[in-house]
Amino acid sequence: MDCIFCKIAAGEIPATVVYEDELVKAFRDLEPQAPEHVLIIPKKHVGSLLELGEEDKDLAAHILADVVPKLAKELGVAEKGFRIVCNTGEEGGQTVHHLHVHLLGGRSMQWPPG
Ligand code: 5GP
Ligand code: ZN
């Protein structure tokens, strides 16, 4: 499958990796939208949130409950606050069809999002 994030997960395409374990990889976004902008991806291909299966619940919890807070602290945005975004589908603005969670911080976020 020709998936750019699978290639980053496999180390076939370079990325600035900020965290990695057996299940996930986190790396800096190529076009950062905030002073801190990293993408957290599962190493296995999952197309979007809609494709998470019953067997992926531990993976989803790991990203949300372990990796996001750990990275937010390490990147220095936990105290002031940050935002996570998981664009899903066409109207959700998803452009890469491999599940990824954006972690953005280092500036005040606006609401509503564009
Ligand atoms: P989406 O729009 O699907 O929610 O987010 C995709 C994100 O991936 C975008 O913010 C885009 O800048 C980022 N991106 C796309 N291709 C690459 C790449 O090859 N390397 C990195 N580091 N980020 C990428
Ligand atoms: Zn993929």
Side-chain angles (χ1 to χ4, degrees):
M1 186 196 304
D2 198 24
C3 171
I4 194 155
F5 284 0
C6 278
K7 288 179 180 163
I8 288 177
E12 293 165 9
I13 289 180
T16 305
V17 176
V18 296
Y19 177 75
E20 180 172 10
D21 63 29
E22 69 280 6
L23 293 175
V24 308
K25 202 165 198 174
F27 50 93
R28 295 201 172 274
D29 197 292
L30 206 55
E31 294 179 42
Q33 303 300 317
E36 299 293 343
H37 185 175
V38 305
L39 302 171
I40 304 159
I41 64 167
K43 286 188 168 174
K44 76 168 198 175
H45 184 83
V46 177
S48 79
L49 271 183
L50 295 171
E51 290 181 25
L52 280 170
E54 197 61 32
E55 70 281 8
D56 297 319
K57 288 191 173 177
D58 286 349
L59 169 64
H62 179 53
I63 291 173
L64 211 56
D66 302 329
V67 182
V68 165
K70 174 184 167 59
L71 281 178
K73 287 173 197 154
E74 286 180 5
L75 295 169
V77 299
E79 200 173 318
K80 283 194 168 177
F82 60 92
R83 181 170 292 175
I84 61 168
V85 173
C86 190
N87 296 326
T88 304
E90 193 181 341
E91 289 202 353
Q94 184 177 7
T95 59
V96 177
H97 297 281
H98 179 129
L99 176 64
H100 51 281
V101 173
H102 297 256
L103 194 169
L104 300 128
R107 66 167 170 84
S108 283
M109 299 295 158
Q110 307 300 312
W111 195 265

